Amino acid sequence: MKQDALKAAVLISGTGSNLKALISAVAANALELDIVRVVSNRADAAGIHHAETAAIPVSVIRHTDYPDRQSHDAAVAETLKESRAELIILAGYMRILSEDFTREFEGRMINLHPSLLPLYKGLDTYNRVLQSGDDKTGASIHFVTAGLDSGPVISQVTIPVKPGDDADSLKERLGPQEHRLLTATVGLFSKREIDYRKDAVLYRGRVIKRPLKLQDDGGFS
Ligand code: GRF
């Protein structure tokens, strides 16, 4: 890995399949990224194993060990600062974040969300897509700001909703696309092609009017 590879920290709460996708892309030389730390708020998160296998330092910072959200977030922030991560990647980190925390990392913290934002912020996105009768859905990566799933959207991938789909089948089909989206989008960061301006995303120095769309060939349009 190059000396100046982008330093990133990944925050997880569970399976960590997106963390695994990043680790695999780095191992395959498809992504230039130095994952300097993984933070989990749960000691039993299966994803911790992926980090350990790749010899990435892991910090388990249990929210249940802190009296309130503020103090837990402060401990996580301290660890992230110590790690010297330039980019903070929330990949299945199932915590609502305090305003102080989002402000601290504004412009360099991104979140992966399983819907075409601004549609379906929050939880249970698959059932809400199905109930609405939408013929497509997808995943989004956005800069994290104080509002839940509300920061400027950087990139999206779309999949069709098919007859007979249920929440499980949608989730299963979206998963691999999320992995592609996260890897490709972090790749843009590692090439320093994405920047943040209050309420806007800059791609190669220009404000984008709509999210970058991931194509089948792995590029964006
Ligand atoms: C993904 O579906 C992501 O969109 C959501 O949480 C899930 C994380 O999955 N924020 P995993 O832990 O990376 O497997």
Side-chain angles (χ1 to χ4, degrees), residues 15-18 92 112-114 126 178:
T15 318
S17 68
N18 285 281
L112 170 66
H113 182 77
Y126 308 104
E178 289 193 313

Side-chain angles (χ1 to χ4, degrees), residues 12 14-15 19-20 23 38 45-56 58:
I12 63 168
T15 318
L19 166 65
K20 187 176 177 211
I23 292 171
V38 166
I48 291 172
H49 169 74
H50 302 311
E52 286 174 348
T53 305
I56 298 168
V58 178

